[in-house]
Amino acid sequence: DSISEKPYENTTIQINLKGMFASQLGRLKVDVHINDKKFQGDDDYFHVLEGDFSQGSSRMGSALDIDRSVEIVVVAYDEASGIDAHGNILKNLGIVKIFKKVSGTWSFIESLTPPMELVRPHTKFGSSVVVNTPYGRDDTTILVGAPGCATAFVFVYHTTSEAWKEQARLYP
């Protein structure tokens, strides 16, 4: 909710389970309580991914996904400002940041942005994201939605090249 309550915050998450339906009287829900030793002396049950607040309201975490098999988190900032080829500042362009867990700590790896020829205001690159590593393969795929240009982008990371490359664009 982008609001930091101190000393702690309770969050309600709705869980949809296949074959189970929530009723009006007894909905399926879970209360998640995050303990923070800075305030209560308990152990930490979370990691903080620091955002870039230089762009104002960029909606860090507007969409995110995790692939636990390779310990990669993809975090979208779908309202982040950007710059076009002429140096003009564009609102709601969007950016996606990739974090990898190394030695127990989440570290920033790389940012993904829309290709320059599709850069325009309100692209909202990162409105939806999915990360997946197919079993038995050495490549990881990230799918990034950008409704402002009616496109979904497919990025692939190959361990041999150690780089994220745009592999395909999907159109409606």
Side-chain angles (χ1 to χ4, degrees):
D1 64 4
S2 301
I3 300 172
S4 175
E5 287 93 5
K6 295 186 180 183
Y8 47 81
E9 175 179 1
N10 287 328
T11 304
T12 301
I13 300 172
Q14 181 175 344
I15 300 175
N16 295 319
L17 301 172
K18 192 173 187 174
M20 296 185 73
F21 302 97
S23 71
Q24 294 299 327
L25 299 175
R27 293 191 287 189
L28 298 173
K29 72 174 192 171
V30 175
D31 289 324
V32 178
H33 184 258
I34 298 174
N35 294 318
D36 184 347
K37 66 183 171 190
K38 293 176 195 165
F39 301 108
Q40 298 176 329
D42 297 333
D43 292 331
D44 286 334
Y45 296 103
F46 64 93
H47 291 274
V48 176
L49 301 177
E50 295 294 333
D52 177 11
F53 300 106
S54 63
Q55 299 179 0
S57 176
S58 59
R59 285 186 10 122
M60 175 189 179
S62 54
L64 59 95
D65 195 21
I66 185 170
D67 186 337
R68 294 187 189 280
S69 67
V70 291
E71 296 186 312
I72 288 180
V73 172
V74 180
V75 181
Y77 299 64
D78 71 343
E79 291 185 0
S81 298
I83 298 174
D84 67 9
H86 305 289
N88 301 316
I89 296 175
L90 305 176
K91 292 187 177 242
N92 299 332
L93 177 62
I95 190 170
V96 171
K97 295 192 178 188
I98 305 164
F99 295 85
K100 180 158 180 61
K101 194 172 189 181
V102 179
S103 301
T105 302
W106 290 100
S107 301
F108 170 74
I109 295 190
E110 189 169 341
S111 294
L112 301 177
T113 57
M116 196 55 74
E117 70 270 13
L118 294 177
V119 168
R120 69 185 105 203
H122 307 290
T123 299
K124 296 193 70 96
F125 182 81
S127 287
S128 57
V129 294
V130 176
V131 59
N132 183 50
T133 303
Y135 178 76
R137 296 193 21 202
D138 66 347
D139 58 315
T140 299
T141 303
I142 295 175
L143 180 68
V144 179
C149 62
T151 308
F153 298 90
V154 179
F155 295 90
V156 176
Y157 178 83
H158 293 282
T159 54
T160 52
S161 65
E162 296 185 355
W164 290 95
K165 304 238 187 250
E166 182 185 345
Q167 184 177 39
R169 295 179 190 174
L170 308 174
Y171 302 98

